[in-house]
Amino acid sequence: MNPVELIRKKRDGQTLTEAEYRFLLSAYVDGHLPEYQMSAFLMACYFRGMSNEETLAFTKLMLYSGEVLDLSDIPGVKVDKHSTGGVGDKVSLLLAPIVAACGVPVPMISGRGLGHTGGTLDKLESIPGFRTDFSIDKYTKLIKEIGLVMIGQTEEIAPADKRMYALRDVTATVECIPLIAGSIMSKKLAGGADALVLDVKSGRGAFMQSDQKAIELARTLVDIGSGFGKQMLGFITDMSQPLGSAIGNWLEVVESVECLKGNRGTDDESKDLMEVTLLLSGAMVFLGKKASSVQEGIERSKEALATKKGYQKFLDLVKTQGGDVSSVDNLEKYPISEFSADVKSSDRGFVSSIDPLEMGLTSITLGAGRQKIDDIIDPKAGIVLKKKVGDPVAAGDTLAVLYTDSEEVISPARDRIGRSFKIVPDRPTLPPLIKYIVEEEGIRKWDG
Ligand code: URA
């Protein structure tokens, strides 16, 4: 087979066979297919999409490009969660320890920042010493020990996705349902969980900018998972503004720790973050058979928070994965950015929207994400929102604070963030935070 022919075939809208996908993926993983040809192929997929059969074949090949873990000797229903990516989405940091504290084993394989969205691995690695690169043996050992592990893709887990994920990030080929589905499901199926909860984000800060597209992606993911015999539950949640208040790796760890300690999340800028976290952890506790409904799972999760068992589990996680527990327990000891700058409002009224895409992209210019494959992230950099949609604002109020080590990026970032806030005279109505639930049987509006 000739890669150029296969790229041309996809470019012209034809479907490829499983054997053709196998050829391309194995050549890519072996290093025989250069990045420029894979980039061209990905762009062709972006424009032409894939049939259902192609998506399934592609996912299977990505999955079996590496090992598929067997966790059957670990007691209990093992449950993982995946978000399709958003801005300020630090839900995994909160939910994984809460769910593990409820007695459900959580084997979590996470990704790095992608496009304008942040990644759980980058956030965890901002904790000094925290390691996410364990071998598979260590991965299973840790779940047995503390009921929770959060690692990145090793070379053994879906290596085709590992390479392609980084390439898609820098070739503007992320926002494509079959590529996202293959990427997510190959990692998640390889990780060995019995059940999976999905948080499919919808809105300007998400890869799926409309509910219709988000539903299409959720349907594809749930169908693939069910086809592999996994219990699946998906939710479509709002990403029309950043989730919570912090955007940027260590800043997001701080917000998560404050929520786990019970210091934030009730009536402040982290309220939406807590609501999404409790819903998804409730669903995981339910699928993990520690509650008889999602609602009861939410109650169990609230108890784990109130008794600080969730926070204790987070400290256990940091310790067992080599992180410095004292920097988490004493957040103020962490180094701070050389420069910080307030973004002030010149109007009075109410915040009617905050552009999450602009927030995500601007946080990258501050140092919080990558513009090139080998860029090094500044863990301290990012943005903290002081106002969220619906909040009243007076002229001169601080809307957000920027953190960075490079002085020259502050002025353009301040202008960009200032323009991302829209202020109107009357209090706007808020969009629903949790929109739909997606089950194997169908999709319905979420009514709590
Ligand atoms: N998350 C993933 O793991 N892969 C994607 O392609 C998008 C979000």
Side-chain angles (χ1 to χ4, degrees), residues 126 133 143 154 162 173 193 235 249 258 311 340 367 372 378 390:
S126 72
D133 60 347
I143 312 172
T154 61
K162 189 169 157 70
T173 50
F235 295 90
N249 300 291
E258 292 293 7
Y311 180 55
S340 69
K372 293 191 292 331
D378 171 5

Side-chain angles (χ1 to χ4, degrees), residues 82-85 114 161 165 168 174 179-181 183-184 187 207:
H82 197 81
S83 156
T84 56
L114 188 65
D161 174 61
Y165 189 88
R168 285 168 58 219
V174 173
L179 295 179
I180 295 178
S183 163
I184 292 178
K187 283 193 280 283
F207 295 124

Side-chain angles (χ1 to χ4, degrees), residues 19 68 74-75 93 104 111 130 152 160 263 266-267 277 313 329 331 340-341 345 361 401-402 409 425:
V68 180
I74 298 169
L93 269 57
V104 176
F130 197 102
N263 298 337
T266 321
D267 199 16
T277 300
K313 202 44 111 177
D329 230 7
L331 296 166
S340 69
S345 175
L361 293 172
V401 184
L402 316 180
V409 300

Side-chain angles (χ1 to χ4, degrees), residues 7 10 24 28 33-47 163-164 166-173 179 373:
I7 296 168
K10 184 47 71 190
L24 283 174
Y28 181 58
L33 188 81
E35 301 281 3
Y36 55 81
Q37 283 188 316
M38 185 47 88
S39 305
F41 181 70
L42 291 171
M43 192 55 88
C45 291
Y46 175 88
F47 281 111
R163 287 196 56 197
M164 213 180 283
L167 185 62
R168 285 168 58 219
D169 188 21
V170 291
T171 53
T173 50
L179 295 179
I373 240 166

Side-chain angles (χ1 to χ4, degrees), residues 239-447:
M239 189 28 76
S240 65
Q241 65 170 326
L243 195 60
S245 64
I247 304 157
N249 300 291
W250 173 252
L251 299 172
E252 296 193 37
V253 170
V254 172
E255 184 180 6
S256 306
V257 168
E258 292 293 7
C259 287
L260 283 169
K261 283 181 170 169
N263 298 337
R264 284 187 70 93
T266 321
D267 199 16
D268 51 32
E269 299 83 29
S270 305
K271 191 165 169 250
D272 56 352
L273 168 67
M274 271 328 296
E275 196 178 328
V276 174
T277 300
L278 288 170
L279 169 80
L280 300 174
S281 57
M284 289 175 77
V285 174
F286 166 60
L287 289 184
K289 301 215 180 332
K290 297 288 178 190
S292 58
S293 63
V294 174
Q295 207 51 50
E296 196 189 313
I298 294 175
E299 293 311 317
R300 295 283 90 77
S301 305
K302 283 184 180 166
E303 282 161 27
L305 258 180
T307 56
K308 305 278 186 300
K309 286 186 179 153
Y311 180 55
Q312 187 51 52
K313 202 44 111 177
F314 184 74
L315 294 180
D316 294 347
L317 171 81
V318 172
K319 189 160 171 236
T320 55
Q321 298 205 194
D324 174 15
V325 175
S326 74
S327 67
V328 171
D329 230 7
N330 305 284
L331 296 166
E332 66 290 345
K333 282 196 181 157
Y334 202 79
I336 51 166
S337 290
E338 254 181 77
F339 304 99
S340 69
D342 288 357
V343 180
K344 304 257 187 199
S345 175
S346 47
D347 298 315
R348 65 187 289 269
F350 295 88
V351 179
S352 68
S353 66
I354 304 173
D355 186 336
L357 180 58
E358 275 299 288
M359 292 276 162
L361 293 172
T362 310
S363 73
I364 295 174
T365 69
L366 295 168
R370 298 178 189 82
Q371 308 196 38
K372 293 191 292 331
I373 240 166
D374 49 0
D375 276 354
I376 310 264
I377 285 182
D378 171 5
K380 311 178 297 313
I383 303 166
V384 174
L385 303 182
K386 297 293 177 188
K387 300 283 176 190
K388 298 270 296 187
V389 172
D391 285 350
V393 180
D397 275 0
T398 300
L399 300 171
V401 184
L402 316 180
Y403 296 92
T404 183
D405 277 352
S406 20
E407 195 170 13
E408 68 277 10
V409 300
I410 293 177
S411 174
R414 191 193 262 133
D415 291 348
R416 237 173 134 174
I417 296 302
R419 281 195 305 273
S420 304
F421 280 84
K422 294 277 168 288
I423 315 282
V424 295
D426 300 315
R427 192 186 286 272
T429 45
L430 299 181
L433 183 58
I434 295 146
K435 300 179 175 195
Y436 296 92
I437 174 166
V438 184
E439 298 163 298
E440 211 183 320
E441 307 78 52
I443 298 174
R444 59 191 161 82
K445 274 211 156 88
W446 175 251
D447 48 19

Side-chain angles (χ1 to χ4, degrees), residues 69-76 78 140 144 191-194:
L69 307 191
D70 178 4
L71 305 180
S72 54
D73 65 330
I74 298 169
K78 278 73 64 187
T140 35
K144 285 180 186 159
D194 306 302

